[in-house]
């Protein structure tokens, strides 16, 4: 069975809620989630869509809905300030770890970055914070910092994001199950159902 | 127990899906749905939001998601052409029937108008079609036509729509359960849960 592709942006609160439910989804769906962080803002430019916080009326609704959705699934959640933030550094760190240490380590980093931002309010838009979180106590921070600011890392992230846009992916969370696209934390039940019971 | 307020636009396909599930929602929630059609487009102007069909990428996704959601709930659905249409005549006819014949008759009309548009492809943006559907074989079509084009009907609909905007309602379907707002066909499960199990 194909994995479920899971696209998300590190600044997306609904993406965070979905990521926190990754193990639950995998158990219920009987498939593995493949994490793919990308720069949703770059795709917004092509679709003309606006971030959540753009319209006061929608944003007021979304703040309540986010807190309510988090409580329903017993996920710790605090809306960070500043919000949103740029997530290129977080994404590049993710792909750096994916290449060096594999999918499990990269997924752990994704969860650590997400929790840092949406639980502890650490500004993961700042490269220094991302480097601290990624390196922990062990690695050479200067080397890591240089690597994720390098051309290879930039180019790789641009390629991931372009490929997502080419495939019609524009939101966070955004799931692909076989040939079907599901957009939104509120589509998780459908993702599970499509994954396990096949097409309807 | 308070009724569940159900706001919708007659040109909204997700509003149509929600309306088709009205009896299911009422049974599961143990509360009555109060139908309130309004002009979502008028509120879009204040929020800067765009209709579903505005962005090609989002629209392509939405067309598939709509058909898939309809199949899942075994609701007949055909995307009409033209789409969307203006829905002032449909709304005014609804409030005309609500005042004359009461909530049940108005709700029946709402379902008939929705099915005419989203099953049979009848253009309910045209006042003549709305008058035919509303009058059936019985009433005086000319009088009905005049009434729903009259100042009172226009003013009433403007008041309904302004009041919705004032209360922060901006989508379709849009539900209010006690003090909680729920936006979207994908929030129906939450609407039911909040209605029956109280706050979480």
């Amino acid at each position: 069975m194909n994995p479920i592709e899971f696209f998300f942006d590190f600044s997306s609160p609904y993406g965070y809620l979905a990521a926190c439910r990754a193990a639950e989804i995998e158990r219920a769906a009987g498939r593995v989630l493949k994490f793919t962080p990308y720069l949703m803002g770059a795709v917004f430019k092509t679709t003309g869509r606006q971030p959540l916080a753009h319209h006061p009326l929608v944003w007021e609704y979304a703040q309540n809905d986010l807190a309510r959705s988090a409580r329903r699934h017993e996920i710790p959640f605090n809306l960070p300030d500043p919000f949103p933030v740029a997530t290129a550094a977080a994404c590049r760190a993710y792909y750096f770890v994916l290449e060096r240490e594999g999918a499990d380590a990269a997924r752990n980093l994704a969860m650590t970055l997400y929790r840092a931002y949406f639980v502890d309010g650490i500004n993961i838009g700042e490269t220094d914070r991302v480097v601290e979180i990624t390196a922990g106590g062990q690695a050479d921070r200067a080397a890591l910092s240089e690597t994720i600011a390098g051309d290879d890392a930039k180019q790789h992230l641009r390629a991931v994001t372009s490929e997502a846009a080419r495939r019609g992916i524009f939101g966070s969370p955004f799931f692909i199950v076989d040939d079907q696209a599901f957009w939104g934390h509120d589509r998780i039940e459908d993702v599970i159902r499509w994954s396990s019971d096949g097409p309807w």
Side-chain angles (χ1 to χ4, degrees), chain A residues 25-148:
Chain A
I25 297 167
E26 289 174 324
R27 271 195 307 274
R31 302 200 196 192
V32 169
L33 278 187
K34 185 188 166 208
F35 280 45
T36 306
Y38 78 116
L39 298 180
M40 185 167 61
V43 180
F44 274 8
K45 280 181 197 150
T46 68
T47 59
R49 292 190 63 239
Q50 302 284 2
L52 264 184
H54 184 74
H55 309 302
L57 211 60
V58 180
W59 180 225
E60 195 183 330
Y61 171 82
Q63 285 179 274
N64 185 52
D65 186 66
L66 279 164
R68 189 172 61 196
S69 298
R71 288 197 307 274
R72 171 158 177 193
H73 296 283
E74 298 176 355
I75 297 168
F77 175 76
N78 300 300
L79 189 70
D81 181 22
F83 172 83
V85 293
T87 57
C91 280
R92 287 184 211 139
Y94 176 92
Y95 288 109
F96 170 80
V97 170
L98 180 66
E99 199 189 315
R100 296 280 184 100
E101 302 176 42
D104 289 348
R107 180 160 160 172
N108 286 341
L109 174 62
M111 296 316 302
T112 305
L113 288 165
Y114 253 153
R115 275 191 298 263
Y117 188 46
F118 286 110
V119 181
D120 301 323
I122 295 167
N123 185 352
I124 63 167
E126 294 176 358
T127 302
D128 287 353
R129 299 292 86 68
V130 171
V131 169
E132 280 164 25
I133 291 167
T134 307
Q138 301 158 19
D140 181 338
R141 291 189 185 184
L144 175 62
S145 193
E146 206 172 291
T147 306
I148 68 173

